[in-house]
Amino acid sequence: MNISHNLSQEIIDTIHDVCGYNINFITTQGIISASTNPERIGSYHEIGHQVALTGKSLEVHQNDDYHGSQEGINIPVYYHQNMIAIIGISAPIEEARRYAHLAERITVLLLHEQEMSLYDRSLDAQKRYVIRSLMTNDIDNRNYLEDCLTRFHMPLDEIYRMMTFQFSSNDPKVNISTQISALHSLFDGIDQTIYSYFYPDHFLVCIRNEAYMQHRHQFVQFINEHPSLLCGVGQTDKLFSMHRSYQSSLTALSSIHEGQRLICFDDLTLEILTSEIDSSIKDSYKEKILGALKEEEIAFLKVYYENDQSLNQTAQALHLHKNTIQQRLNTITSKTDLNPRHFQDAVLFYLAIHL
């Protein structure tokens, strides 16, 4: 369980208010994460680290030589059967012993209070919390997250995908609230699915892969009925690796071209590489390869490669004579010093056209 700095400092301040002594909150790696002495935050606490390694309380006396430690007691704190931190109380041994158990109790009570406040979230807020935790891989309370996943009937051993819907930002007639309501209605009827809207224009869905495959045609039909929506579907993965699926859904979304509405990462090839290239580099490359050509010549090349460099098929597609196709290819060669017929040069042209 990860404990935020704010919560650990609250724990330290509460214990200090009761006993009046200096208190350190030490991670299981031996680093002071909160303290009544701000200058010690971030420093190494040798004996605290030993407590973490042994799981047993250790007392420090005046004549002991431990780096970063003062006279007092250091106790491990357990929550849900896991050691979460070490509390160090700097005080005469007898006094430190008096407050050790109390410090542990205060820590557990405050952790429980935080956990209960999380449980009090509304259902929509719980879904949003789960989606955000999974998409960012920032899990501040794994026990609570697993409880939420159980509540939403999403077993950890299943395979899932992240779907990212994007609302059009160019159409002033689009009512996003209506689109969100339609998406809610769509996914309300699909088991083992959680979803949430993220301002300003994304709606994220975590769906079991089996359910996605079963309802894929329904999703395609839905998005065709809502022209203001686009959708990128991520790769398959386990729940606690959904951040990878989310990133791949964004790659799919960015790869959507005119005439496409829903793209799955599984269907991408070259786009997986080109999506990571900076736009300025793309523009420089396209200018280098295609800069000497007219728009109609670039469009011609696109058709030529769509027809596997076949003269006959390209001629049929463009309603031109085969000799005209040859002449256009020769013209392009003379303008660029690259031959569209040769494999290596064709790769250069093809990549530039599809960037």
Side-chain angles (χ1 to χ4, degrees):
M1 178 181 181
N2 294 321
I3 302 175
S4 68
H5 170 72
N6 288 340
L7 178 58
S8 57
Q9 192 63 51
E10 180 184 353
I11 292 170
I12 292 305
D13 292 341
T14 303
I15 299 172
H16 176 72
D17 288 344
V18 173
C19 70
Y21 291 107
N22 287 329
I23 312 294
N24 292 316
F25 194 91
I26 307 161
T27 70
T28 53
Q29 288 75 44
I31 304 300
I32 298 176
S33 62
S35 176
T36 50
N37 180 3
E39 294 182 357
R40 299 200 65 187
I41 295 175
S43 62
Y44 178 67
H45 198 288
E46 181 183 354
I47 197 168
H49 198 192
Q50 286 197 30
V51 172
L53 295 174
T54 62
K56 298 178 181 180
S57 298
L58 286 176
E59 296 179 353
V60 180
H61 299 269
Q62 286 185 339
N63 58 347
D64 291 337
D65 184 19
Y66 289 105
H67 176 71
S69 297
Q70 301 174 6
E71 182 180 9
I73 192 168
N74 297 268
I75 60 170
V77 178
Y78 290 84
Y79 195 66
H80 293 309
Q81 289 78 53
N82 295 314
M83 185 191 300
I84 57 167
I86 296 89
I87 300 291
I89 304 175
S90 298
I93 290 299
E94 291 301 323
E95 287 288 292
R97 289 171 182 163
R98 285 179 54 199
Y99 290 111
H101 180 66
L102 179 62
E104 181 182 13
R105 292 287 296 163
I106 289 174
T107 302
V108 171
L109 285 172
L110 287 175
L111 289 171
H112 183 66
E113 181 181 290
Q114 175 190 255
E115 196 169 63
M116 290 304 295
S117 69
L118 293 173
Y119 274 97
D120 289 338
R121 295 173 187 261
S122 68
L123 188 63
D124 285 343
Q126 288 176 14
K127 290 181 179 180
R128 184 179 178 82
Y129 171 79
V130 170
I131 290 288
R132 183 178 291 280
S133 297
L134 295 178
M135 67 185 274
T136 62
N137 198 32
D138 183 11
I139 301 171
D140 61 357
N141 189 328
R142 187 180 177 105
N143 292 320
Y144 173 69
L145 181 58
E146 289 186 0
D147 286 344
C148 287
L149 292 169
T150 299
R151 189 175 305 119
F152 296 134
H153 308 292
M154 302 188 74
L156 298 182
D157 57 350
E158 293 282 357
I159 299 296
Y160 297 83
R161 292 181 187 267
M162 197 73 85
M163 302 176 67
T164 300
F165 289 84
Q166 184 175 47
F167 306 102
S168 171
S169 57
N170 300 321
D171 189 350
K173 298 179 182 178
V174 172
N175 186 322
I176 289 184
S177 62
T178 301
Q179 305 293 318
I180 293 172
S181 177
L183 284 164
H184 275 275
S185 298
L186 172 65
F187 287 102
D188 277 346
I190 300 176
D191 292 333
Q192 293 182 301
T193 301
I194 51 175
Y195 45 84
S196 184
Y197 165 64
F198 287 84
Y199 181 85
D201 58 359
H202 281 175
F203 188 94
L204 269 62
V205 181
C206 182
I207 182 169
R208 189 167 61 98
N209 184 53
E210 185 176 331
Y212 168 76
M213 299 303 294
Q214 180 181 350
H215 295 278
R216 190 177 189 281
H217 292 298
Q218 184 180 349
F219 299 147
V220 172
Q221 180 181 350
F222 176 87
I223 208 163
N224 286 334
E225 293 171 354
H226 296 79
S228 63
L229 282 177
L230 300 174
C231 181
V233 183
Q235 67 192 50
T236 58
D237 224 318
K238 292 292 184 70
L239 275 174
F240 284 100
S241 297
M242 275 296 98
H243 59 286
R244 294 199 293 250
S245 185
Y246 170 64
Q247 290 299 323
S248 62
S249 76
L250 296 181
T251 298
L253 195 61
S254 67
S255 302
I256 292 178
H257 299 293
E258 186 177 351
Q260 299 174 315
R261 305 294 307 289
L262 183 150
I263 295 290
C264 182
F265 184 81
D266 298 357
D267 299 324
L268 300 182
T269 52
L270 187 62
E271 297 87 353
I272 297 174
L273 298 176
T274 59
S275 65
E276 299 298 321
I277 302 175
D278 184 85
S279 59
S280 62
I281 296 177
K282 289 182 181 180
D283 292 340
S284 297
Y285 178 80
K286 290 167 69 174
E287 176 63 25
K288 179 179 175 118
I289 303 300
L290 304 174
L293 302 179
K294 300 176 182 178
E295 287 296 327
E296 55 265 31
E297 290 171 325
I298 296 173
F300 163 77
L301 279 178
K302 187 173 186 295
V303 176
Y304 176 62
Y305 291 124
E306 285 175 349
N307 286 276
D308 294 325
Q309 298 175 271
S310 167
L311 297 178
N312 289 330
Q313 292 179 26
T314 304
Q316 291 176 8
L318 295 175
H319 306 290
L320 296 172
H321 192 276
K322 181 178 174 181
N323 290 341
T324 304
I325 303 299
Q326 293 273 27
Q327 292 170 3
R328 292 193 177 185
L329 292 172
N330 291 336
T331 299
I332 290 172
T333 300
S334 66
K335 284 186 172 184
T336 63
D337 290 328
L338 297 171
N339 191 332
R341 305 175 184 85
H342 294 170
F343 173 77
Q344 290 185 339
D345 291 349
V347 169
L348 300 178
F349 279 122
Y350 186 85
L351 180 59
I353 291 169
H354 288 84
L355 279 177

